[in-house]
Amino acid sequence: MTEASNFASEAAAALAAATGVERHDVALVLGSGWSGAADLIGEEVASVPASDIPGFAGHVVAGHQPTLRSLKTADGRHVLVLGARQHFYQVRDAAKVAHGVRTAAAAGCTQLVLTNGCGSTNPDVGPGSVVLLSDHLNLTGATPLEGATFVDMTQTYSPRLRGIAREVDGDLHDGVYAQFTGPQYETPAEVKMAAILGADLVGMSTALEAIAAREAGMEILGLSLVTNLAAGIGGETLNHQEVIDAGAAAAPRISRLLADVVERMR
């Protein structure tokens, strides 16, 4: 096992001890606007401060929650909510970014839902829109993988889980997400470049986590909430408070959507 895998196993053991749940089935990484879904998915078994688990930090970005929550669904599945997302712009270390996902895999999770708030390169897909990820562009110049680890990324985002999401909402947009490093927002020229490369969405998370999840053999669903039109698309300046406000406005609707999708995941 690699050092990262060993560290994830240590964190998973600490999580099991703290929650009293030996094994989890599904993991959720809840980005801006998505946190309310946890209250609709199932009964809370335990809530653990992130700083109590090895490798997790208690400080997070505004709009995120520094806790790990264990939920139990009506049909008996255990859902792990990773509220303490580490962003690449915080740590500049792809292995630290991937630690949450790797811990979830070590805790038994075989399915992962990655969510985020993002900018749209398409003016017809504006704030409040939910986009079902079909693929991504990793523009960070980094990877959580080490050595000759040749992971197939052909179907990173599970066609089966995407089908389940469409059963819940047949009007979901499809999109390709481009992860930049941040923390600065992308320039209009960078947004134009990303669009030329095929990106419908731009943001600062998700792709590095998805790479680690695929290495672990997890089945991934990606959902993005458009919180703003990307730079140069809407003609207005950007600030983080607007992202938080857009997420809050959409929260009840997208939380219900995500809870309904998780209910159907098996």
Side-chain angles (χ1 to χ4, degrees):
M1 294 177 68
T2 65
E3 182 178 350
S5 296
N6 286 330
F7 197 28
S9 295
E10 178 185 344
L15 180 68
T19 62
V21 178
E22 183 177 349
R23 182 181 180 87
H24 287 82
D25 304 294
V26 181
L28 309 179
V29 179
L30 300 181
S32 298
W34 294 94
S35 61
D39 296 326
L40 304 176
I41 286 171
E43 178 185 358
E44 181 173 283
V45 176
S47 179
V48 182
S51 56
D52 289 355
I53 305 300
F56 288 87
H59 67 282
V60 295
V61 179
H64 297 262
Q65 299 179 345
T67 56
L68 305 179
R69 298 177 67 186
S70 178
L71 311 176
K72 188 173 183 179
T73 64
D75 62 0
R77 288 173 297 151
H78 293 283
V79 177
L80 174 63
V81 180
L82 297 166
R85 182 179 232 164
Q86 289 289 305
H87 293 80
F88 188 67
Y89 57 76
Q90 293 174 282
V91 293
R92 299 296 173 184
D93 185 331
K96 289 182 179 179
V97 171
H99 180 63
V101 167
R102 286 173 166 154
T103 297
C109 295
T110 58
Q111 295 176 320
L112 171 69
V113 181
L114 293 171
T115 68
N116 59 62
C118 65
S120 172
T121 68
N122 183 349
D124 294 329
V125 182
S129 301
V130 176
V131 180
L132 190 58
L133 298 192
S134 58
D135 208 341
H136 73 235
L137 296 167
N138 175 16
L139 301 182
T140 67
T143 176
L145 308 183
E146 297 180 10
T149 308
F150 304 117
V151 176
D152 177 35
M153 303 295 292
T154 307
Q155 292 187 336
T156 303
Y157 301 96
S158 165
R160 189 183 75 85
L161 295 184
R162 290 170 62 207
I164 290 173
R166 289 204 178 284
E167 291 174 4
V168 175
D169 184 350
D171 294 327
L172 289 174
H173 300 276
D174 272 321
V176 175
Y177 179 95
Q179 180 177 353
F180 284 81
T181 60
Q184 71 282 348
Y185 287 109
E186 304 78 23
T187 68
E190 289 168 339
V191 170
K192 183 177 180 180
M193 174 195 72
I196 291 171
L197 292 175
D200 304 287
L201 311 166
V202 293
M204 305 174 194
S205 67
T206 303
L208 294 175
E209 293 161 317
I211 293 168
R214 288 304 302 136
E215 179 192 22
M218 302 175 85
E219 189 179 22
I220 307 170
L221 176 67
L223 290 166
S224 292
L225 169 67
V226 175
T227 56
N228 57 275
L229 292 177
I233 303 298
E236 299 181 358
T237 57
L238 306 176
N239 67 73
H240 190 60
Q241 187 59 48
E242 290 178 352
V243 172
I244 295 174
D245 291 345
R253 173 173 53 85
I254 64 175
S255 295
R256 184 71 266 167
L257 167 67
L258 180 52
D260 289 347
V261 170
V262 172
E263 182 180 1
R264 299 188 184 204
M265 289 170 60
R266 296 290 188 276

